[in-house]
Amino acid sequence: MIALDCDDDFTTWRDQARTLLGHGIDPAEVNWGQGPIQDLLAVPDALPAGPGPFRARVPAELLAQLQLAARYRGEQRWNLLYEVLWRVAHGDRTAMLAGDRLGSELQRRIKQVTREAHHLHAFVRFVPLPPALAGRLQLDLVAFHEPAHDILESASGHFAERLGRQRWLIATPRDGIRYDGEGFDYRRRCPGEWRQWAEQADDPDADLWLTYYRHTFNPARVNPDALRLHMPGRFWRHLPEGPLIPRLVGLARQGKQRDGQAQEVAGQGGKRIRSSFNSDGPRSGPVSRS
């Protein structure tokens, strides 16, 4: 048994897998440990020397799929990728397809990673820094996010396109990325000061946003199951509006907002205006604010 550690880095894993494949080492004889190696039968870092005699032709489509699936955090993270690679390299391309046992798991992981990238785009909340602090840190916006998979580096280009030349930082418990308006600085180990800046930032517009969110919340259309499907609860504590959601949903369930308006809006009186569009002559009537 060969025990390896690629440090959860795809490039390192790819080089290891290429060597193993070249020497014809079956997937059953290899294990990529996560953390300290516990297998007493394994021999750490016992990679064969040299590239090996076997030359595999691997389709570019497979490499793209493997790189995407490699961002998935879970058990057998790297072992499954090598098993798929082994089968395809030996002529069995069904290992890439959803109808196959391995292919099904590969495609499931790709789907989870893609969905997590969407969550990054949807639920990151940037906090603007005060001018003096922004000048000192050379940053305009900071955010903290906790993704379930390693998607930060690959999915953050979205914000460079949306925010133009603004300088921003996203910190996570594992990694971090910084954009200076021209290029990216990605760190696989998020610096402690980056996390501190992101987690301790005080949003000056938070109260305004919460007032807007509370007043536009429509209890007549709330669906808690659909809400949690599209906005998983694990993100709520990092959203400014997160603490409001359970209370607003609770009010909707209790029927306290039957008119589909926030209480502060529904309780306000309407302004009386004159109308001349009635055949019986001008009339006045209440018009509610909405």
Side-chain angles (χ1 to χ4, degrees):
M1 196 74 175
I2 298 176
L4 299 172
D5 184 1
C6 64
D7 194 27
D8 286 340
D9 179 65
F10 179 77
T11 301
T12 302
W13 173 87
R14 183 186 59 196
D15 294 340
Q16 294 171 342
R18 182 184 295 118
T19 300
L20 294 168
L21 193 63
H23 286 271
I25 297 177
D26 189 276
E29 301 173 7
V30 187
N31 179 55
W32 274 270
Q34 293 175 318
I37 297 172
Q38 304 294 336
D39 192 340
L40 297 179
L41 301 179
V43 181
D45 301 326
L47 273 175
F54 180 66
R55 295 291 184 269
R57 296 182 62 87
V58 178
E61 179 186 1
L62 174 63
L63 290 178
Q65 290 186 358
L66 293 177
Q67 187 168 14
L68 192 56
R71 301 187 181 111
Y72 177 88
R73 297 179 196 161
E75 295 183 358
Q76 300 295 310
R77 177 176 182 175
W78 304 100
N79 292 57
L80 179 129
L81 301 186
Y82 182 60
E83 193 171 352
V84 172
L85 176 64
W86 172 272
R87 284 181 50 183
V88 174
H90 288 81
D92 184 5
R93 294 200 176 193
T94 60
M96 301 168 56
L97 306 178
D100 179 81
R101 177 186 63 85
L102 281 179
S104 176
E105 177 62 17
L106 178 71
Q107 297 303 323
R108 186 190 72 82
R109 295 185 182 192
I110 290 174
K111 183 177 180 180
Q112 290 291 319
V113 167
T114 303
R115 182 171 179 80
E116 197 64 25
H118 168 72
H119 287 157
L120 176 76
H121 300 159
F123 302 132
V124 157
R125 294 292 186 268
F126 284 104
V127 177
L129 296 177
L133 183 60
R136 181 166 63 86
L137 301 182
Q138 294 297 298
L139 284 170
D140 301 307
L141 307 166
V142 295
F144 186 79
H145 189 67
E146 290 192 72
H149 304 294
D150 296 331
I151 46 81
L152 183 65
E153 181 181 20
S154 60
S156 293
H158 166 86
F159 299 110
E161 297 173 359
R162 296 292 298 271
L163 298 175
R165 299 296 296 274
Q166 292 192 82
R167 303 163 299 179
W168 49 262
L169 163 73
I170 303 176
T172 83
R174 294 169 64 113
D175 53 359
I177 192 166
R178 180 171 181 164
Y179 183 71
D180 64 2
E182 296 181 355
F184 295 97
D185 180 9
Y186 173 73
R187 307 285 183 89
R188 293 188 63 228
R189 306 289 187 272
C190 185
E193 59 182 7
W194 287 15
R195 286 195 57 176
Q196 183 179 5
W197 299 341
E199 291 186 288
Q200 298 181 5
D202 186 20
D203 188 352
D205 299 320
D207 291 339
L208 180 62
W209 162 245
L210 293 180
T211 299
Y212 170 80
Y213 188 88
R214 188 170 58 250
H215 282 68
T216 57
F217 180 83
N218 188 347
R221 301 188 63 183
V222 69
N223 183 330
D225 293 335
L227 175 64
R228 289 185 174 85
L229 176 64
H230 296 287
M231 184 189 290
R234 60 190 171 92
F235 294 116
W236 291 10
R237 64 194 181 100
H238 296 304
L239 300 175
E241 66 273 24
L244 291 178
I245 297 174
R247 184 172 66 86
L248 294 174
V249 171
L251 290 174
R253 284 177 167 172
Q254 297 170 21
K256 293 184 180 296
Q257 298 175 333
R258 297 180 184 279
D259 56 5
Q261 291 180 317
Q263 291 177 338
E264 294 91 334
V265 177
Q268 297 183 27
K271 179 181 179 180
R272 301 183 70 85
I273 60 175
R274 298 188 65 82
S275 172
S276 59
F277 297 101
N278 191 292
S279 59
D280 297 332
R283 299 182 59 183
S284 64
V287 177
S288 64
R289 298 184 180 95
S290 61

mmCIF file of all heavy atoms in Angstrom, residues 10 13 58 61-71 78 80-82 84-85 106 110:
data_model
loop_
_atom_site.group_PDB
_atom_site.id
_atom_site.type_symbol
_atom_site.label_atom_id
_atom_site.label_comp_id
_atom_site.label_asym_id
_atom_site.label_seq_id
_atom_site.Cartn_x
_atom_site.Cartn_y
_atom_site.Cartn_z
ATOM 1 N N PHE A 10 -4.327 20.243 -6.283
ATOM 2 C CA PHE A 10 -4.562 19.462 -7.492
ATOM 3 C C PHE A 10 -3.285 19.253 -8.290
ATOM 4 O O PHE A 10 -3.059 18.168 -8.844
ATOM 5 C CB PHE A 10 -5.614 20.144 -8.373
ATOM 6 C CG PHE A 10 -5.890 19.397 -9.651
ATOM 7 C CD1 PHE A 10 -6.670 18.250 -9.657
ATOM 8 C CD2 PHE A 10 -5.348 19.838 -10.858
ATOM 9 C CE1 PHE A 10 -6.910 17.544 -10.836
ATOM 10 C CE2 PHE A 10 -5.592 19.146 -12.032
ATOM 11 C CZ PHE A 10 -6.374 17.994 -12.015
ATOM 12 N N TRP A 13 -1.313 16.498 -6.678
ATOM 13 C CA TRP A 13 -1.984 15.208 -6.924
ATOM 14 C C TRP A 13 -1.786 14.749 -8.362
ATOM 15 O O TRP A 13 -1.530 13.566 -8.610
ATOM 16 C CB TRP A 13 -3.478 15.325 -6.625
ATOM 17 C CG TRP A 13 -4.229 14.090 -7.025
ATOM 18 C CD1 TRP A 13 -4.427 12.969 -6.271
ATOM 19 C CD2 TRP A 13 -4.851 13.830 -8.288
ATOM 20 N NE1 TRP A 13 -5.140 12.028 -6.975
ATOM 21 C CE2 TRP A 13 -5.409 12.533 -8.228
ATOM 22 C CE3 TRP A 13 -4.995 14.559 -9.466
ATOM 23 C CZ2 TRP A 13 -6.090 11.954 -9.291
ATOM 24 C CZ3 TRP A 13 -5.675 13.987 -10.527
ATOM 25 C CH2 TRP A 13 -6.221 12.699 -10.444
ATOM 26 N N VAL A 58 -4.974 10.809 -22.138
ATOM 27 C CA VAL A 58 -6.101 11.239 -21.316
ATOM 28 C C VAL A 58 -6.801 12.413 -21.998
ATOM 29 O O VAL A 58 -6.153 13.409 -22.334
ATOM 30 C CB VAL A 58 -5.626 11.655 -19.914
ATOM 31 C CG1 VAL A 58 -6.799 12.138 -19.070
ATOM 32 C CG2 VAL A 58 -4.917 10.486 -19.229
ATOM 33 N N GLU A 61 -11.126 16.753 -21.704
ATOM 34 C CA GLU A 61 -12.395 16.861 -20.984
ATOM 35 C C GLU A 61 -12.295 16.216 -19.609
ATOM 36 O O GLU A 61 -12.825 16.735 -18.621
ATOM 37 C CB GLU A 61 -13.511 16.192 -21.796
ATOM 38 C CG GLU A 61 -14.873 16.218 -21.115
ATOM 39 C CD GLU A 61 -15.918 15.430 -21.879
ATOM 40 O OE1 GLU A 61 -15.579 14.850 -22.932
ATOM 41 O OE2 GLU A 61 -17.072 15.380 -21.407
ATOM 42 N N LEU A 62 -11.611 15.074 -19.525
ATOM 43 C CA LEU A 62 -11.465 14.402 -18.244
ATOM 44 C C LEU A 62 -10.636 15.241 -17.285
ATOM 45 O O LEU A 62 -10.984 15.372 -16.100
ATOM 46 C CB LEU A 62 -10.816 13.035 -18.424
ATOM 47 C CG LEU A 62 -10.489 12.297 -17.114
ATOM 48 C CD1 LEU A 62 -11.759 11.996 -16.338
ATOM 49 C CD2 LEU A 62 -9.700 11.024 -17.386
ATOM 50 N N LEU A 63 -9.538 15.811 -17.759
ATOM 51 C CA LEU A 63 -8.708 16.633 -16.883
ATOM 52 C C LEU A 63 -9.493 17.817 -16.321
ATOM 53 O O LEU A 63 -9.347 18.166 -15.146
ATOM 54 C CB LEU A 63 -7.483 17.136 -17.641
ATOM 55 C CG LEU A 63 -6.431 16.074 -17.989
ATOM 56 C CD1 LEU A 63 -5.292 16.702 -18.776
ATOM 57 C CD2 LEU A 63 -5.910 15.389 -16.731
ATOM 58 N N ALA A 64 -10.347 18.411 -17.155
ATOM 59 C CA ALA A 64 -11.174 19.528 -16.680
ATOM 60 C C ALA A 64 -12.152 19.054 -15.614
ATOM 61 O O ALA A 64 -12.372 19.743 -14.601
ATOM 62 C CB ALA A 64 -11.919 20.163 -17.850
ATOM 63 N N GLN A 65 -12.741 17.877 -15.818
ATOM 64 C CA GLN A 65 -13.677 17.348 -14.832
ATOM 65 C C GLN A 65 -12.970 16.992 -13.529
ATOM 66 O O GLN A 65 -13.485 17.259 -12.435
ATOM 67 C CB GLN A 65 -14.393 16.117 -15.399
ATOM 68 C CG GLN A 65 -15.373 16.419 -16.507
ATOM 69 C CD GLN A 65 -16.158 15.186 -16.927
ATOM 70 O OE1 GLN A 65 -15.941 14.091 -16.423
ATOM 71 N NE2 GLN A 65 -17.067 15.370 -17.867
ATOM 72 N N LEU A 66 -11.787 16.405 -13.630
ATOM 73 C CA LEU A 66 -11.046 16.036 -12.433
ATOM 74 C C LEU A 66 -10.639 17.273 -11.634
ATOM 75 O O LEU A 66 -10.706 17.281 -10.397
ATOM 76 C CB LEU A 66 -9.804 15.223 -12.808
ATOM 77 C CG LEU A 66 -10.040 13.834 -13.406
ATOM 78 C CD1 LEU A 66 -8.717 13.188 -13.783
ATOM 79 C CD2 LEU A 66 -10.830 12.938 -12.458
ATOM 80 N N GLN A 67 -10.228 18.316 -12.328
ATOM 81 C CA GLN A 67 -9.821 19.530 -11.634
ATOM 82 C C GLN A 67 -10.998 20.175 -10.925
ATOM 83 O O GLN A 67 -10.860 20.705 -9.819
ATOM 84 C CB GLN A 67 -9.194 20.516 -12.615
ATOM 85 C CG GLN A 67 -8.594 21.750 -11.932
ATOM 86 C CD GLN A 67 -7.735 22.567 -12.862
ATOM 87 O OE1 GLN A 67 -7.769 22.391 -14.077
ATOM 88 N NE2 GLN A 67 -6.955 23.476 -12.315
ATOM 89 N N LEU A 68 -12.169 20.127 -11.554
ATOM 90 C CA LEU A 68 -13.365 20.688 -10.923
ATOM 91 C C LEU A 68 -13.790 19.847 -9.727
ATOM 92 O O LEU A 68 -14.072 20.369 -8.648
ATOM 93 C CB LEU A 68 -14.498 20.767 -11.951
ATOM 94 C CG LEU A 68 -15.746 21.569 -11.570
ATOM 95 C CD1 LEU A 68 -15.379 22.999 -11.189
ATOM 96 C CD2 LEU A 68 -16.743 21.565 -12.716
ATOM 97 N N ALA A 69 -13.805 18.523 -9.899
ATOM 98 C CA ALA A 69 -14.204 17.630 -8.805
ATOM 99 C C ALA A 69 -13.196 17.650 -7.666
ATOM 100 O O ALA A 69 -13.542 17.337 -6.521
ATOM 101 C CB ALA A 69 -14.376 16.212 -9.331
ATOM 102 N N ALA A 70 -11.950 18.009 -7.941
ATOM 103 C CA ALA A 70 -10.919 18.052 -6.903
ATOM 104 C C ALA A 70 -11.199 19.128 -5.866
ATOM 105 O O ALA A 70 -10.631 19.090 -4.767
ATOM 106 C CB ALA A 70 -9.550 18.288 -7.535
ATOM 107 N N ARG A 71 -12.066 20.077 -6.177
ATOM 108 C CA ARG A 71 -12.398 21.129 -5.221
ATOM 109 C C ARG A 71 -13.422 20.658 -4.189
ATOM 110 O O ARG A 71 -13.732 21.396 -3.249
ATOM 111 C CB ARG A 71 -12.922 22.357 -5.965
ATOM 112 C CG ARG A 71 -11.906 22.913 -6.961
ATOM 113 C CD ARG A 71 -12.360 24.221 -7.575
ATOM 114 N NE ARG A 71 -11.362 24.684 -8.537
ATOM 115 C CZ ARG A 71 -11.553 24.713 -9.845
ATOM 116 N NH1 ARG A 71 -12.707 24.319 -10.356
ATOM 117 N NH2 ARG A 71 -10.592 25.137 -10.654
ATOM 118 N N TRP A 78 -9.330 12.224 -3.166
ATOM 119 C CA TRP A 78 -8.338 12.050 -4.216
ATOM 120 C C TRP A 78 -8.305 10.620 -4.740
ATOM 121 O O TRP A 78 -7.958 10.406 -5.899
ATOM 122 C CB TRP A 78 -6.961 12.465 -3.700
ATOM 123 C CG TRP A 78 -6.967 13.869 -3.191
ATOM 124 C CD1 TRP A 78 -7.039 14.282 -1.896
ATOM 125 C CD2 TRP A 78 -6.984 15.064 -3.985
ATOM 126 N NE1 TRP A 78 -7.073 15.654 -1.828
ATOM 127 C CE2 TRP A 78 -7.030 16.160 -3.086
ATOM 128 C CE3 TRP A 78 -6.940 15.314 -5.363
ATOM 129 C CZ2 TRP A 78 -7.047 17.490 -3.531
ATOM 130 C CZ3 TRP A 78 -6.946 16.628 -5.805
ATOM 131 C CH2 TRP A 78 -7.008 17.691 -4.896
ATOM 132 N N LEU A 80 -10.847 8.684 -5.387
ATOM 133 C CA LEU A 80 -11.854 8.520 -6.438
ATOM 134 C C LEU A 80 -11.349 9.093 -7.760
ATOM 135 O O LEU A 80 -11.563 8.499 -8.828
ATOM 136 C CB LEU A 80 -13.157 9.200 -6.030
ATOM 137 C CG LEU A 80 -14.271 9.102 -7.076
ATOM 138 C CD1 LEU A 80 -15.556 8.591 -6.453
ATOM 139 C CD2 LEU A 80 -14.514 10.449 -7.757
ATOM 140 N N LEU A 81 -10.668 10.217 -7.701
ATOM 141 C CA LEU A 81 -10.173 10.823 -8.934
ATOM 142 C C LEU A 81 -9.157 9.914 -9.625
ATOM 143 O O LEU A 81 -9.151 9.789 -10.853
ATOM 144 C CB LEU A 81 -9.539 12.181 -8.636
ATOM 145 C CG LEU A 81 -10.432 13.243 -7.981
ATOM 146 C CD1 LEU A 81 -9.700 14.567 -7.883
ATOM 147 C CD2 LEU A 81 -11.735 13.404 -8.740
ATOM 148 N N TYR A 82 -8.305 9.279 -8.835
ATOM 149 C CA TYR A 82 -7.310 8.394 -9.447
ATOM 150 C C TYR A 82 -7.974 7.147 -10.026
ATOM 151 O O TYR A 82 -7.549 6.634 -11.072
ATOM 152 C CB TYR A 82 -6.249 7.991 -8.424
ATOM 153 C CG TYR A 82 -5.163 7.118 -9.015
ATOM 154 C CD1 TYR A 82 -4.373 7.576 -10.072
ATOM 155 C CD2 TYR A 82 -4.940 5.820 -8.546
ATOM 156 C CE1 TYR A 82 -3.382 6.779 -10.632
ATOM 157 C CE2 TYR A 82 -3.948 5.016 -9.101
ATOM 158 C CZ TYR A 82 -3.177 5.500 -10.142
ATOM 159 O OH TYR A 82 -2.207 4.709 -10.708
ATOM 160 N N VAL A 84 -10.989 6.999 -11.336
ATOM 161 C CA VAL A 84 -11.572 7.426 -12.611
ATOM 162 C C VAL A 84 -10.477 7.561 -13.667
ATOM 163 O O VAL A 84 -10.621 7.093 -14.807
ATOM 164 C CB VAL A 84 -12.327 8.764 -12.440
ATOM 165 C CG1 VAL A 84 -12.766 9.314 -13.796
ATOM 166 C CG2 VAL A 84 -13.544 8.586 -11.534
ATOM 167 N N LEU A 85 -9.375 8.211 -13.301
ATOM 168 C CA LEU A 85 -8.263 8.390 -14.231
ATOM 169 C C LEU A 85 -7.727 7.042 -14.711
ATOM 170 O O LEU A 85 -7.447 6.863 -15.907
ATOM 171 C CB LEU A 85 -7.149 9.186 -13.543
ATOM 172 C CG LEU A 85 -5.850 9.387 -14.337
ATOM 173 C CD1 LEU A 85 -6.114 10.217 -15.590
ATOM 174 C CD2 LEU A 85 -4.783 10.043 -13.461
ATOM 175 N N LEU A 106 -18.581 11.174 -9.514
ATOM 176 C CA LEU A 106 -17.793 12.267 -10.075
ATOM 177 C C LEU A 106 -18.690 13.433 -10.461
ATOM 178 O O LEU A 106 -18.413 14.592 -10.126
ATOM 179 C CB LEU A 106 -17.010 11.772 -11.294
ATOM 180 C CG LEU A 106 -16.160 12.810 -12.024
ATOM 181 C CD1 LEU A 106 -14.950 13.205 -11.186
ATOM 182 C CD2 LEU A 106 -15.714 12.289 -13.395
ATOM 183 N N ILE A 110 -18.995 17.347 -8.975
ATOM 184 C CA ILE A 110 -18.900 18.516 -9.844
ATOM 185 C C ILE A 110 -20.115 19.427 -9.646
ATOM 186 O O ILE A 110 -19.990 20.650 -9.571
ATOM 187 C CB ILE A 110 -18.777 18.075 -11.317
ATOM 188 C CG1 ILE A 110 -17.409 17.433 -11.558
ATOM 189 C CG2 ILE A 110 -18.986 19.251 -12.261
ATOM 190 C CD1 ILE A 110 -17.239 16.837 -12.931
#
